[in-house]
Amino acid sequence: IVVFNFNWAKKLLCKKAIERFFFFLSPGSGEVAWNTYAAAREVIKAGSKAVGVDLPRVCFKNGDLYNLIKQPQIAQAASAAIGIAEYRAWCEHYEQEPEYLTGQSVGLWATLSAARTIRGSSQLEQDYNAIKLISSRGQIIGRVESENADNGRAGGMALIIGKLKHEAADMLPEGMKVGVSRIGRAQTLTGYKEVVTQFISDHVPSLGEKKLRLLEVVGALHHELLEPAQQPLREELERYVVMDPDKILIGNSVESG
């Protein structure tokens, strides 16, 4: 099993073993893929057109993707485009495709193109449409969160890094509900912004600022606050997803609280 993030690309791409799993993680730099593999360059160029920004400038070393994090229609689509490009580089390098696909958050949406579920007459057109779909996802989420904030229901997310003595959900006071998901040794908490902010204030003294911090993202991703986004997201999926996947897709988000 390989956790494929192009921050470690030189090491992973030099491995002789053929891997069976590919994990879409977001975000990733994609710079090694761009410099080394034609398939990745094609996807990143198509992604730049789909998103309307210069992805190499935004996503590579010294890029400003972090500064666009509150524009989810750009940040989410750019992140997914890099993930798809990394995947195409992996396939080009090993001259085969994996049997299983998974991803965290927006990365799972990126697997839809790799599994050939997206409409398009060519692989590159499918990748382009997948990136457009994920950009629409970001627009919908941004719109719902803006409406939530206007109605006093702003969402927020926190990141806990490293091993804890207790599960994050077990650290919450009675009556507090947040969504919890894992990314390796990290956990993300998502819920009402004032609840998440209070959790951070309560536990920073014992955990430290390096282990617990507020994420500068739009809204409470993976939380019931975004339920109004479900129907428009479903409609977007129906526009773009036209085929059953040709690989096994593995989801990995959970909710707790």
Side-chain angles (χ1 to χ4, degrees):
I1 298 175
V2 58
V3 178
F4 204 91
N5 183 319
F6 262 66
N7 292 330
W8 314 320
K10 291 181 179 179
K11 180 191 300 183
L12 292 173
L13 290 176
C14 290
K15 292 183 66 169
K16 295 181 179 179
I18 299 297
E19 308 290 355
R20 299 178 64 211
F21 287 74
F22 188 95
F23 283 69
F24 280 97
L25 297 180
S26 58
S29 72
E31 192 163 2
V32 173
W34 170 271
N35 291 332
T36 312
Y37 296 95
R41 287 192 291 274
E42 287 184 347
V43 173
I44 293 173
K45 288 176 182 178
S48 294
K49 183 178 179 181
V51 180
V53 299
D54 183 352
L55 290 186
R57 179 186 63 79
V58 169
C59 299
F60 294 171
K61 187 176 180 180
N62 299 323
D64 56 358
L65 181 60
Y66 185 80
N67 295 326
L68 297 173
I69 201 72
K70 291 191 176 181
Q71 299 181 51
Q73 74 277 14
I74 296 177
Q76 293 184 18
S79 181
I82 296 301
I84 295 170
E86 293 174 352
Y87 172 77
R88 298 301 177 199
W90 187 94
C91 293
E92 181 179 332
H93 179 84
Y94 286 120
E95 298 182 344
Q96 75 158 28
E97 296 184 6
E99 299 172 46
Y100 302 87
L101 298 167
T102 191
Q104 174 69 26
S105 189
V106 71
L108 192 58
W109 285 61
T111 67
L112 297 175
S113 183
R116 296 189 176 88
T117 69
I118 303 292
R119 64 176 170 84
S121 58
S122 67
Q123 174 182 290
L124 188 59
E125 185 178 356
Q126 291 173 356
D127 291 343
Y128 174 87
N129 284 332
I131 296 164
K132 290 288 287 185
L133 167 62
I134 294 164
S135 181
S136 295
R137 174 188 189 262
Q139 288 178 333
I140 291 167
I141 288 173
R143 183 170 66 248
V144 170
E145 175 54 26
S146 178
E147 293 170 356
N148 283 343
D150 289 342
N151 293 316
R153 291 162 48 86
M157 296 183 72
L159 181 68
I160 301 178
I161 302 173
K163 190 175 181 180
L164 303 176
K165 292 182 179 179
H166 306 286
E167 291 291 329
D170 296 334
M171 299 167 63
L172 304 177
E174 185 177 355
M176 183 185 292
K177 183 177 182 180
V178 297
V180 179
S181 63
R182 289 185 175 278
I183 309 175
R185 293 184 64 191
Q187 298 180 72
T188 58
L189 282 76
T190 177
Y192 288 91
K193 190 168 185 178
E194 65 266 24
V195 173
V196 174
T197 303
Q198 185 62 50
F199 179 89
I200 293 173
S201 178
D202 291 344
H203 292 283
V204 158
S206 60
L207 295 176
E209 292 183 358
K210 290 184 178 180
K211 276 196 170 186
L212 177 61
R213 64 176 182 268
L214 187 70
L215 290 175
E216 296 296 329
V217 296
V218 172
L221 303 179
H222 314 293
H223 189 268
E224 61 187 25
L225 277 169
L226 291 182
E227 281 184 3
Q230 289 181 356
Q231 184 56 36
L233 285 174
R234 187 176 295 113
E235 292 170 0
E236 284 298 294
L237 282 167
E238 290 173 352
R239 285 182 57 210
Y240 286 97
V241 178
V242 297
M243 292 171 284
D244 292 331
D246 67 352
K247 298 174 183 64
I248 297 172
L249 304 184
I250 304 170
N252 63 351
S253 291
V254 298
E255 183 174 322
S256 216

